[in-house]
Amino acid sequence: MSQVKLYGVRAHLQPIRDRLSEVVHSCVVDALQFPQNKRAHRFFYLEPEDFFRPETASERYVILEFMMMEGRTVETKKKLIHLLYERICPAFNLAVTDLEICILESPAPNWGFRGMTGDEIQLNYKVTI
């Protein structure tokens, strides 16, 4: 299980929403081996005055936050992060300083979906990769 939150200034993030979702999903499919039809993205649009950013970042600054069940190797998570930079930055002409990524993990029993906990459900993809 994985969910993605995408944060950015509304004027810059909203126009690229659909295409950015496609690029992020392509990285998740390739790195985490997710099925094509498995996508959970949430966009959080902020006004410039509500989105403090590092001095090195422009108003186009975007934060990606992945919430996932534990189980992926360090190599798999690094592959996801590298793919995101390789695909997002050129596709949207973003500087690497305008993209930050964080992966947050929690144990499978802490997840609830389809009426079960994450350790009870049979998924059609692997978490331990």
Side-chain angles (χ1 to χ4, degrees):
M1 185 68 180
S2 178
Q3 298 178 357
V4 185
K5 295 179 183 177
L6 302 95
Y7 301 88
V9 172
R10 177 182 301 278
H12 301 288
L13 186 58
Q14 196 165 28
I16 63 170
R17 181 193 65 200
D18 293 348
R19 191 163 152 235
L20 180 57
S21 179
E22 289 295 330
V23 173
V24 169
H25 188 60
S26 76
C27 296
V28 169
V29 168
D30 290 349
L32 304 181
Q33 300 175 9
F34 265 43
Q36 281 289 343
N37 65 349
K38 172 92 173 93
R39 186 186 321 196
H41 296 176
R42 285 133 185 94
F43 285 80
F44 293 84
Y45 303 111
L46 301 162
E47 297 308 317
E49 63 271 14
D50 295 325
F51 194 35
F52 293 89
R53 59 188 186 277
E55 199 174 276
T56 55
S58 76
E59 278 201 359
R60 299 181 67 220
Y61 178 63
V62 175
I63 297 174
L64 302 181
E65 186 177 280
F66 290 79
M67 298 185 325
M68 299 191 291
M69 284 195 290
E70 288 178 331
R72 282 128 185 140
T73 65
V74 170
E75 292 79 17
T76 298
K77 292 179 276 190
K78 283 185 170 188
K79 180 179 180 179
L80 174 61
I81 289 170
H82 289 294
L83 281 175
L84 290 162
Y85 278 107
E86 289 169 16
R87 293 181 185 173
I88 291 172
C89 291
F92 300 95
N93 198 27
L94 274 183
V96 294
T97 54
D98 280 335
L99 178 62
E100 288 196 15
I101 302 158
C102 182
I103 296 173
L104 305 169
E105 295 179 295
S106 64
N110 291 2
W111 286 80
F113 51 98
R114 297 184 214 149
M116 296 181 222
T117 61
D119 60 334
E120 297 169 335
I121 200 157
Q122 291 288 3
L123 298 170
N124 61 347
Y125 56 93
K126 293 181 189 177
V127 173
T128 54
I129 58 169

